[in-house]
Amino acid sequence: MKNRIAIYIPSLRGGGAERVMVTLANAFVSSGYYVDLVVGKADGSYIKDVSEEVAIVDLDSRRVTTSLPGLVRYLRRAKPNALLSAMVHANIIAIFANYIARSEIRLVVSEHNTLNSLLKTVSWLRREKWLPFAMRLMYPKTHGIVAVSKGVADELSMITNISREKIDVIYNPVVINYSFPPHTNRITLHPWFGDDQPPVILSAGRLTPQKDFTTLIYAFAKLLTKYQARLVIMGEGEQRNALEQLIQKLNISDKILLPGFVDNPREWMQCSSLFVLSSSWEGFGNVILEAMACGLPIVSTDCPSGPAEILEQGVWGRLVPVGDFAGLAEAMYLTLHEESHPDVVLRASQFSVEKAANKYLTALGMM
């Protein structure tokens, strides 16, 4: 009889952790396991990416905390062999639910971001100072803890007082087997991708303070003083109006595009000349790997944590200090002028779905 694996996340909205969990669910199914993707609310852009062989279990809850009763009922009814959860609030609920259900499953929680940075900058999280205490109390009750980067693991160890050796680091996977669109699709995607157009610099992420697109826009404005280019920032979020006002203030509205959330960002990546990550912090930086899988040269801030691990301290792309718009502009300029670039596809291939899935299956006691 095949083992059943449950994956619990708040929703299927567009975020790095959610995308990773969908990728893992599909990989587990391909490896011969029954997989239930248990979500607080079954909505979001990633629903279409879930394999038909993965069962989506909708707990129909608006908030993570209110999904607790539904998760308890699911554990008692379905009796999966293992449960994997992602992100701090969902992890705590998963631990509570497992305790209340008195289930004998193997429970593994995964952390995808640095909590201290979130607590300092995300307004609604500032009110939740209880989180570190809850993590210290609850995380030791799990069978395994996974962090998506060494930096996240180091911080998690300090917050929970759990030995660093007991926290597994499993880097997020990236899908490599894609097909480039025909060349004629470039102009259809956007006129900026025509042969006679300046190079397009690409960035992506939620329009929030964490991604620090303000610094990127100032850096791009400085770059334009000596080099013609275009900038596309894919994503949606609370800072859209502020960013649009900044772009207008700098008088570069005709050179920057904010297309919102894009269903297939790889189409844009395959047509662009450079990818830039300007974040103040990351848990890992999935989008860097996505861009590298498409062959894009990389410029990134050396933020905690993930980008420096992916780029091996600058071997595979330039790293600049967080918030340094002048340094970011210079790094973009130098990278765009280089005649050759590191083989970033080769580096991206080291973060395969199969490798990550096997490591998670080991943590879940399935291998």
Side-chain angles (χ1 to χ4, degrees), residues 53-293:
E53 298 179 69
V54 174
I56 297 179
V57 179
D58 185 5
L59 301 180
D60 196 24
S61 299
R62 288 189 176 185
R63 296 174 58 86
V64 176
T65 51
T66 58
S67 70
L68 176 62
L71 185 56
V72 171
R73 288 192 295 271
Y74 163 79
L75 293 174
R76 287 173 173 169
R77 181 186 72 253
K79 294 180 170 59
N81 300 94
L83 172 63
L84 170 64
S85 61
M87 298 176 288
V88 59
H89 286 81
N91 291 339
I92 291 172
I93 293 300
I95 297 167
F96 266 121
N98 188 48
Y99 174 76
I100 295 171
R102 299 187 182 279
S103 61
E104 297 180 357
I105 64 172
R106 184 171 177 83
L107 172 60
V108 175
V109 298
S110 62
E111 282 297 339
H112 294 250
N113 222 322
T114 52
L115 182 63
N116 282 333
S117 297
L118 288 171
L119 289 173
K120 290 176 183 176
T121 57
V122 179
S123 58
W124 65 271
L125 273 174
R126 291 176 195 160
R127 300 190 299 270
E128 304 197 17
K129 300 296 186 180
W130 56 270
L131 276 176
F133 172 77
M135 293 168 74
R136 284 193 293 271
L137 180 67
M138 304 297 289
Y139 278 35
K141 302 181 185 301
T142 66
H143 297 92
I145 303 172
V146 172
V148 297
S149 68
K150 294 176 182 176
V152 170
D154 291 343
E155 184 199 74
L156 191 56
S157 176
M158 289 188 293
I159 289 174
T160 61
N161 293 325
I162 294 173
S163 170
R164 175 63 178 79
E165 289 71 28
K166 293 183 178 180
I167 301 174
D168 293 324
V169 174
I170 303 178
Y171 289 132
N172 289 337
V174 63
V175 178
I176 300 295
N177 56 334
Y178 55 83
S179 298
F180 281 90
H183 183 68
T184 52
N185 281 2
R186 290 173 173 266
I187 298 178
T188 304
L189 188 62
H190 196 278
W192 283 357
F193 294 119
D195 291 334
D196 58 344
Q197 295 296 311
V200 174
I201 299 168
L202 190 66
S203 191
R206 289 175 174 155
L207 307 184
T208 61
Q210 174 189 357
K211 304 302 180 181
D212 196 11
F213 290 126
T214 298
T215 291
L216 175 57
I217 291 169
Y218 275 116
F220 180 69
K222 185 172 180 63
L223 173 69
L224 289 176
T225 62
K226 58 180 179 179
Y227 190 82
Q228 287 301 305
R230 301 289 185 266
L231 174 63
V232 176
I233 303 175
M234 301 183 295
E236 196 54 79
E238 65 198 52
Q239 285 197 311
R240 169 174 282 276
N241 290 339
L243 295 176
E244 289 177 337
Q245 290 174 11
L246 175 60
I247 292 167
Q248 292 175 0
K249 174 185 173 183
L250 296 173
N251 197 29
I252 52 176
S253 298
D254 60 332
K255 295 178 174 62
I256 298 184
L257 177 67
L258 304 181
F261 182 82
V262 175
D263 282 335
N264 187 5
R266 287 199 169 187
E267 286 185 333
W268 294 75
M269 290 175 177
Q270 290 161 357
C271 296
S272 300
S273 299
L274 172 66
F275 185 86
V276 178
L277 185 132
S278 55
S279 297
S280 295
W281 78 89
E282 290 283 345
F284 181 64
N286 297 20
V287 70
I288 294 178
L289 275 184
E290 293 281 342
M292 292 171 74

Side-chain angles (χ1 to χ4, degrees), residues 148-150 169-178 266 284-298 305-319 341-353 355-356 359:
V148 297
S149 68
K150 294 176 182 176
V169 174
I170 303 178
Y171 289 132
N172 289 337
V174 63
V175 178
I176 300 295
N177 56 334
Y178 55 83
R266 287 199 169 187
F284 181 64
N286 297 20
V287 70
I288 294 178
L289 275 184
E290 293 281 342
M292 292 171 74
C294 294
L296 270 182
I298 304 295
S305 52
E309 294 178 43
I310 295 172
L311 299 175
E312 292 192 312
Q313 310 302 323
V315 172
W316 302 97
R318 284 187 167 84
L319 291 165
H341 303 283
D343 187 352
V344 290
V345 176
L346 175 64
R347 174 59 174 165
S349 68
Q350 298 171 19
F351 298 83
S352 69
V353 174
K355 181 184 291 186
K359 288 185 176 181

